[in-house]
Amino acid sequence: MKKFLLALIFLLNCSTCAADELDAAEIRLICAVCSVGAYSDDNSFFTRSMLTTRGWQIEKLASKNNRVETKAYLVSKGDIKILTIAGTENLKDVEVDFRVGRVHLDGTPLDKEKVSKDEIFVHKGFRDYADAVLSDGLAEQLITSLKKNPRETLYITGHSLGGAVATLAAIRLADSGVPTERLKIITFGAPAIGSKAFAASYENKIDLTRVVMKGDIIKKSLSKLGYVQFGKVLECEPSHTSNHFEHKMAVYLDCAIRDYYAAGGTLNYEARDKINAPIYVAPILLLKDSFHKSDEELILNALDDSLQNHFGKLTFATAQSIELDEENLFDDDAEEFVAAAREHDCKYVLIRILSAKKIRDAPSGDRHVTLEEIILDADGALLSMQTSGASTDNLTIFEAAIFAQENLIEDTKNFFK
């Protein structure tokens, strides 16, 4: 009995740890999605599927003074608020012009002639940006909301410059009396923001998680000027097939998605407007050598998750995918898919052909991902055919595949209405 109880306790602890790991991976993914969205006003797939469709409210914030112009977003759902600060992917901009110098936390200039190793200083450009973000009453609004709702947690996040500013904004709120256990910072590829003494002073005062990509040079870009990093470090590795600069936010998002799936997460959500036509989903037909094995499973799972977000009566084939040679089309397989659809009382067959080919003369090895979608009826008659694609010049291979499918979704839904 004692051994049984010990085993039960162990299993319960493992279950709790797994749930905690999934929750942590999910919030990092949401923060990564927010950080990607902060760069652009585009209603991207990830913004739409991970935020809006899941009930997150998005408020755009912008401020401008004689020193800086800022862009940020306040994303909220229930007792969670996420302040996302737009950053930059440019090394020169990350340094924000060092001619502005270093300052004390209160903004007073540092006496360059009397700087000691115990001096607390921060980068003036980052501090000015943080002040601008929290201006126009935003700091007071956040503090009031946290005091009013004792269960509320505020996350502050950003990439690169945005991450540096997020940390300083959090420190300002903490110094204003916000309970540190309800204030959490998650940054992506952020440079250091202050001196060794500054880092030592706040190391144990704020909950800072720095997500750092292996090979990202920005994390050390200010070290020679006396700036020191601090906080918990979560190191990631770019995908084997990534052709992007390691500092790019798309690479960090890709890593966050992979971590989320590895922790047991999916891209599924409860949609209200699903199409309920009975559809048999054939195995995805993969053009041979299109994807690295480390990418393939993730892409296939995400494509199927995406379909389930929009269609309510799907019957998936036992095999998730079938590999095809370029000249070997699916003609022989179509009859098998149609027969399977009839066997499962499905009126339609959905066939997807997915490929990725290197773009000729692309200097960085960019590829173009193409998804062809074919709809047959239960007698094998062709009803619809459409194609979509995306390049990996600004997306990872995973994002390009998802984008290609999501670009077809509305037309597919309209076909079945």
Side-chain angles (χ1 to χ4, degrees):
M1 177 61 74
K2 184 176 180 180
K3 289 183 178 180
F4 171 77
L5 290 174
L6 289 173
L8 181 60
I9 292 171
F10 175 77
L11 289 174
L12 289 173
N13 285 336
C14 287
S15 177
T16 301
C17 290
D20 290 345
E21 182 181 349
L22 177 59
D23 289 343
E26 182 174 13
I27 197 64
R28 286 198 303 272
L29 176 55
I30 295 296
C31 286
V33 170
C34 290
S35 295
V36 168
Y39 280 106
S40 171
D41 295 326
D42 293 341
N43 190 22
S44 68
F45 160 68
F46 287 106
T47 301
R48 188 169 65 250
S49 67
M50 292 301 295
L51 299 178
T52 308
T53 55
R54 285 170 167 76
W56 291 88
Q57 303 298 312
I58 305 172
E59 177 185 356
K60 184 177 180 180
L61 308 170
S63 63
K64 183 178 182 180
N65 58 32
N66 59 354
R67 296 187 300 274
V68 293
E69 183 176 353
T70 71
K71 185 172 70 170
Y73 293 85
L74 186 60
V75 181
S76 58
K77 179 181 179 182
D79 295 326
I80 296 179
K81 279 187 168 63
I82 302 175
L83 175 61
T84 308
I85 301 167
T88 176
E89 294 178 322
N90 185 289
L91 176 58
K92 182 178 179 181
D93 290 341
V94 165
E95 295 176 355
V96 193
D97 193 352
F98 272 96
R99 289 174 295 178
V100 299
R102 297 171 288 183
V103 296
H104 296 288
L105 262 179
D106 62 5
T108 58
L110 204 65
D111 187 343
K112 296 181 180 179
E113 302 299 325
K114 299 180 180 179
V115 177
S116 72
K117 64 178 182 180
D118 298 322
E119 195 86 45
I120 291 180
F121 64 79
V122 296
H123 184 279
K124 185 178 187 299
F126 296 162
R127 187 191 177 283
D128 287 347
Y129 202 112
D131 282 351
V133 167
L134 294 175
S135 64
D136 299 327
L138 179 60
E140 291 74 17
Q141 174 189 334
L142 295 173
I143 292 170
T144 299
S145 180
L146 286 163
K147 287 181 178 179
K148 187 176 180 180
N149 183 0
R151 294 179 299 179
E152 186 175 277
T153 299
L154 173 64
Y155 288 85
I156 307 184
T157 190
H159 168 250
S160 193
L161 166 67
V165 175
T167 306
L168 279 171
I171 286 173
R172 175 173 163 181
L173 293 177
D175 287 346
S176 298
V178 173
T180 54
E181 67 272 12
R182 296 167 58 204
L183 184 62
K184 302 181 185 299
I185 310 102
I186 298 177
T187 68
F188 302 92
I193 57 177
S195 63
K196 182 177 181 180
F198 167 78
S201 178
Y202 284 94
E203 177 84 45
N204 299 315
K205 289 184 180 179
I206 60 172
D207 188 344
L208 167 61
T209 299
R210 293 192 302 111
V211 183
V212 178
M213 190 66 57
K214 189 174 181 181
D216 186 347
I217 62 174
I218 299 299
K219 61 180 180 289
K220 295 181 179 179
S221 61
L222 310 183
S223 59
K224 291 184 179 180
L225 296 166
Y227 290 77
V228 175
Q229 295 277 18
F230 67 99
K232 298 185 292 291
V233 178
L234 180 62
E235 188 173 65
C236 297
E237 289 199 28
S239 165
H240 296 294
T241 55
S242 174
N243 59 311
H244 294 296
F245 173 38
E246 289 85 353
H247 185 62
K248 197 174 182 67
M249 187 57 217
V251 181
Y252 279 95
L253 174 60
D254 186 71
C255 182
I257 293 168
R258 292 170 189 274
D259 286 349
Y260 180 58
Y261 265 96
T266 74
L267 295 182
N268 289 140
Y269 64 87
E270 290 300 320
R272 297 179 181 177
D273 59 345
K274 288 186 177 183
I275 300 298
N276 288 316
I279 304 169
Y280 177 80
V281 182
I284 295 176
L285 304 179
L286 284 175
L287 195 64
K288 188 177 181 180
D289 299 326
S290 285
F291 302 96
H292 191 277
K293 290 300 180 183
S294 62
D295 295 325
E296 192 174 292
E297 182 179 359
L298 179 68
I299 290 171
L300 294 175
N301 287 340
L303 288 175
D304 286 348
D305 285 347
S306 172
L307 272 186
Q308 292 179 81
N309 291 335
H310 301 282
F311 300 94
K313 289 187 177 180
L314 299 177
T315 299
F316 285 90
T318 303
Q320 191 175 32
S321 67
I322 296 175
E323 189 176 79
L324 295 179
D325 291 325
E326 187 166 6
E327 65 276 5
N328 179 22
L329 298 179
F330 68 94
D331 295 344
D332 294 336
D333 299 308
E335 294 182 7
E336 177 185 341
F337 301 153
V338 170
R342 289 197 295 265
E343 182 182 341
H344 290 90
D345 295 322
C346 293
K347 294 183 179 180
Y348 305 97
V349 180
L350 176 63
I351 299 171
R352 292 167 292 171
I353 304 173
L354 183 65
S355 64
K357 295 183 179 181
K358 188 179 182 301
I359 300 174
R360 183 177 295 177
D361 299 327
S364 58
D366 289 329
R367 288 182 288 168
H368 193 271
V369 177
T370 302
L371 181 71
E372 183 176 358
E373 181 185 272
I374 299 168
I375 300 175
L376 309 176
D377 65 16
D379 294 321
L382 176 64
L383 301 178
S384 173
M385 180 182 293
Q386 57 178 340
T387 303
S388 177
S391 169
T392 62
D393 55 348
N394 288 315
L395 303 171
T396 64
I397 193 76
F398 170 85
E399 295 169 87
I402 297 300
F403 179 86
Q405 178 168 280
E406 283 290 318
N407 201 38
L408 299 175
I409 286 294
E410 285 306 313
D411 286 341
T412 307
K413 292 172 71 173
N414 288 334
F415 173 83
F416 288 111
K417 286 181 179 178

